Amino acid sequence: MDRITAARGTELRCKGWRQEALLRMLENVLENCENQQELIVYAALAKAARNWDSYHAIVATLKSLEEDETLVIQSGKPIGIMHTHRFAPLVIMANCNIVGKWATSENFYNYQEQGLIIWGGLTAAAWQYIGSQGVLQGTYEIFQSIARLHFGGSLAGRFILTAGLGGMGGSQPLAGTMANAAILCVEVDEARIDKRIASGYLQKKTADLDQALAWILHASASKESLSVGLLGNAADVYPELIRRGIVPDVVTDQTSAHDLVYGYIPAGYSLEQVIALRKSDVNKLQADAGASIAREVSAMLEFQRRGAIVFDNGNNIRTQAVQYGVKNAFDIAVFTEAFLRPLFARAIGPFRWVALSGEAEDIRTIDQYILEHFQDNEVAVNWIRLANQYVPVEGLPARIGWFGHGDRTKLALAVNAMVREGKLSGPIAFSRDHLDAAAMTHPNIMTENMKDGSDAISDWPLLNAMLNCSSMADLVTIHSGGGGYSGYMTSAGVTLVADGSADSDLRLKTTLDNDTGLGVLRYADAGYEEAFDEIEQKGIRRVNV
Ligand code: NAD
């Protein structure tokens, strides 16, 4: 079968642009994925569809789907077509939701083996993944926040150590150089290093630690930005740096540490040996991966003790380390609580848009609009300037931008008007990461140490999804964790199509206002001052109890 890429241009294969948009979003996820043959998009195991039969059935259904019908998808498999109405979502999904006490990684792997379930990641099965750019601004904002809090406002001359150059982790080198740092990324799979160099996210590579350190230390001494991919295993390299007495300024990790079977590669193993061990002795594989993570996290704790700023970058690495004997792994902070919560409390989060025609010029036109009309939004304007300069196109041209309540709606309505007036070459799809104010419960990542102790309560993403259906979104999905994330998270996703119509105006305004409105209310409910301020400023209607 030919490699799948997203259709370009303005010719429709479906009965309307809304259906065509969702089909192109699905194809785009596969165009950008890490392993197309296996339908694996990122994060070790996050898939776009249950299997190839399901994929082809989804494509065929989207092509014949009427405006007043809704396709129902369960864990990446199309189940049925329901007659609804033209303001109902075209697609609703529930991916990988397993009831409470059954939500263990063992049960997940069994269900997966039987073909009953897939893990959808956040944006993979939701057809919202846009390549490494999807987390790029988030990683950049974390680095900027660290610069402000700890390094007098700039990371120039600073050394960042991290690991993992996969679908998401691949954003780290570019985020590091955009923040003016020298960043060393340890990666065990040379093909991933090469992929990031080819996509323009990474600058140099070597398998020699001395060479890597020479480049990095020279760059930081001369305050130049630089990214280096080091072929090696983080569980070897981190302790080796401790042994040599080298202390980076900032340390994190974005390997797929959440999954001990399909994600994290234990020290001393080749990739082929790991693949073989998955079949021959999965328990040994898990034990060895856990032991390696324990070594790596112990080194991270030691870096922290020696003065480095160390944080967990959303991959459950601390949780794994505790299970493998590192009792104080949670002395390391998680990025959301440490750096991003003040933004989330105002429902400012990773909004994104995709040029469905494939024309990169459309993204530049929208960039320009933002620079002219959002001048009071410092975070957005700074980011758009940088993104315009540094972020290469991957798949359908797309942009991520952290916007909050009101601003997302303002932007989307302006874009819809541009589509209507022919100022863009085709419709634009809007979505966001599931890591968003109302949309995610993950007590070790998104909602750790919430002020009111509501860390594990997953009513919020469920309400979020129901509200987005009621608000006429085009695609709505509810996901829970799979593999190593089983039992750890529930999230909701949403996609909207700006096709220039008046119906689109209505859908965009209602859904985006309500999506972020609920986010602000969730943080107000937990007692965050920023949320109260946002309610006051923007007239969000809270019921006081
Ligand atoms: P991926 O599976 O595409 O890539 C992981 C990479 O880590 C692979 O390239 C793999 O070769 C490498 N790796 C594995 N073990 C290693 C080791 N011991 N040493 C060095 N390299 C090793 O995953 P991804 O999509 O990049 O996601 C990585 C992690 O980040 C996942 O746990 C994911 O859930 C998490 N994540 C966090 C956020 C966030 O917002 N912070 C967003 C998305 C994903």
Side-chain angles (χ1 to χ4, degrees):
M1 198 174 69
D2 290 342
R3 200 182 141 70
I4 290 173
T5 53
R8 268 60 171 180
T10 51
E11 202 172 304
L12 298 186
R13 297 159 295 169
C14 302
K15 294 191 171 173
W17 254 115
R18 292 170 63 214
Q19 299 91 319
E20 179 74 28
L22 297 182
L23 175 53
R24 290 186 190 196
M25 293 293 278
L26 167 59
E27 291 167 336
N28 191 48
V29 157
L30 286 174
E31 180 171 337
N32 285 312
C33 76
E34 294 295 299
N35 178 353
Q36 191 169 105
Q37 217 179 343
E38 304 286 335
L39 292 157
I40 290 172
V41 182
Y42 68 95
L45 213 52
K47 291 176 88 172
R50 183 85 64 92
N51 50 38
W52 282 108
D53 287 345
S54 288
Y55 171 80
H56 292 300
I58 291 170
V59 171
T61 309
L62 286 174
K63 284 182 178 167
S64 63
L65 199 69
E66 300 288 346
E67 245 229 322
D68 57 358
E69 292 176 337
T70 299
L71 168 61
V72 178
I73 294 189
Q74 181 259 327
S75 278
K77 177 179 162 187
I79 297 299
I81 301 156
M82 304 299 177
H83 180 65
T84 50
H85 54 85
R86 79 174 214 273
F87 289 107
L90 282 173
V91 177
I92 58 169
M93 304 173 162
N95 294 318
C96 202
N97 299 285
I98 304 175
V99 71
K101 289 199 171 179
W102 277 255
T104 62
S105 49
E106 291 71 28
N107 283 341
F108 168 82
Y109 293 131
N110 283 336
Y111 290 140
Q112 183 186 241
E113 190 84 353
Q114 293 169 56
L116 296 172
I117 208 164
I118 55 161
W119 180 45
L122 303 179
T123 54
W127 317 339
Q128 293 158 342
Y129 182 68
I130 56 168
S132 295
Q133 192 190 165
V135 286
L136 183 63
Q137 192 189 355
T139 312
Y140 170 78
E141 298 298 347
I142 293 168
F143 290 158
Q144 288 296 89
S145 175
I146 291 174
R148 277 191 299 275
L149 289 170
H150 302 285
F151 298 108
S154 168
L155 289 184
R158 302 294 170 180
F159 168 13
I160 302 173
L161 170 67
T162 187
L165 288 172
M168 291 295 181
S171 69
Q172 299 179 103
L174 184 53
T177 51
M178 288 170 91
N180 294 316
I183 179 165
L184 177 61
C185 308
V186 185
E187 167 59 61
V188 80
D189 179 355
E190 190 166 9
R192 308 287 191 123
I193 299 181
D194 292 339
K195 183 166 177 174
R196 303 311 156 206
I197 288 179
S199 70
Y201 271 67
L202 174 69
Q203 293 170 322
K204 285 187 162 192
K205 79 163 186 178
T206 176
D208 178 355
L209 177 59
D210 293 326
Q211 173 67 82
L213 287 173
W215 283 335
I216 289 288
L217 297 177
H218 178 266
S220 47
S222 45
K223 299 204 166 174
E224 283 163 15
S225 65
L226 178 71
S227 58
V228 175
L230 170 66
L231 182 60
N233 193 303
D236 293 327
V237 175
Y238 284 37
E240 174 60 18
L241 293 185
I242 295 282
R243 200 188 62 74
R244 294 186 186 196
I246 295 171
V247 183
D249 297 292
V250 180
V251 180
T252 187
D253 168 286
Q254 211 169 19
T255 60
S256 277
H258 70 273
D259 196 308
L260 301 181
V261 180
Y262 293 90
Y264 192 88
I265 307 292
Y269 283 90
S270 68
L271 300 176
E272 294 69 30
Q273 285 170 323
V274 167
I275 292 166
L277 209 55
R278 271 178 208 149
K279 293 205 169 61
S280 63
D281 193 349
V282 76
N283 291 335
K284 178 167 169 48
L285 176 58
Q286 295 196 51
D288 288 352
S292 282
I293 286 177
R295 267 173 52 203
E296 185 185 338
V297 172
S298 299
M300 290 169 80
L301 284 161
E302 184 57 25
F303 285 131
Q304 181 163 284
R305 208 184 59 75
R306 295 184 189 184
I309 307 302
V310 181
F311 66 96
D312 173 314
N313 201 2
N315 59 355
N316 256 17
I317 196 165
R318 299 167 305 163
T319 312
Q320 304 283 23
V322 168
Q323 276 161 18
Y324 285 85
V326 186
K327 298 259 175 323
N328 60 338
F330 278 77
D331 288 355
I332 296 170
V334 68
F335 73 107
T336 34
E337 189 198 359
F339 308 117
L340 299 180
R341 190 150 298 162
L343 294 177
F344 284 130
R346 292 183 186 277
I348 297 172
F351 192 44
R352 69 237 336 235
W353 47 99
V354 176
L356 295 165
S357 68
E359 290 296 334
E361 192 54 35
D362 286 358
I363 296 298
R364 284 192 284 274
T365 305
I366 299 171
D367 282 350
Q368 198 50 43
Y369 180 89
I370 292 169
L371 294 176
E372 284 166 18
H373 293 86
F374 287 85
Q375 279 164 9
D376 53 345
N377 185 336
E378 218 178 293
V379 174
V381 166
N382 171 51
W383 169 254
I384 293 296
R385 271 204 197 99
L386 283 169
N388 208 298
Q389 189 183 348
Y390 289 102
V391 179
V393 176
E394 286 178 282
L396 288 177
R399 182 69 77 231
I400 181 107
W402 281 54
F403 284 91
H405 186 71
D407 279 354
R408 293 190 192 184
T409 311
K410 177 177 154 187
L411 177 62
L413 290 178
V415 166
N416 201 38
M418 287 189 240
V419 176
R420 188 160 45 237
E421 292 155 12
K423 292 180 180 158
L424 299 173
S425 59
I428 302 291
F430 287 95
S431 72
R432 54 155 174 74
D433 197 357
H434 293 205
L435 187 99
D436 203 36
M440 184 190 277
T441 295
H442 187 321
N444 285 164
I445 296 182
M446 182 64 169
T447 46
E448 184 167 312
N449 293 329
M450 291 293 285
K451 248 185 174 175
D452 64 343
S454 61
D455 304 19
I457 294 175
S458 57
D459 291 341
W460 298 104
L462 301 181
L463 288 170
N464 184 226
M466 288 192 283
L467 188 59
N468 284 339
C469 284
S470 318
S471 303
M472 302 170 277
D474 290 297
L475 176 148
V476 179
T477 183
I478 297 174
H479 289 199
S480 290
Y485 281 134
S486 295
Y488 281 95
M489 66 199 290
T490 296
S491 65
V494 61
T495 300
L496 287 146
V497 184
D499 62 5
S501 65
D503 279 5
S504 264
D505 278 337
L506 185 63
R507 290 173 198 285
L508 289 163
K509 175 153 178 47
T510 315
T511 306
L512 294 173
D513 278 351
N514 292 342
D515 192 41
T516 47
L518 184 67
V520 173
L521 292 174
R522 191 265 177 272
Y523 280 85
D525 200 61
Y528 287 86
E529 285 308 319
E530 294 91 342
F532 293 124
D533 182 51
E534 201 69 12
I535 284 172
E536 175 92 18
Q537 279 188 41
K538 309 241 169 107
I540 297 167
R541 291 167 67 195
R542 177 165 189 252
V543 180
N544 289 311
V545 185

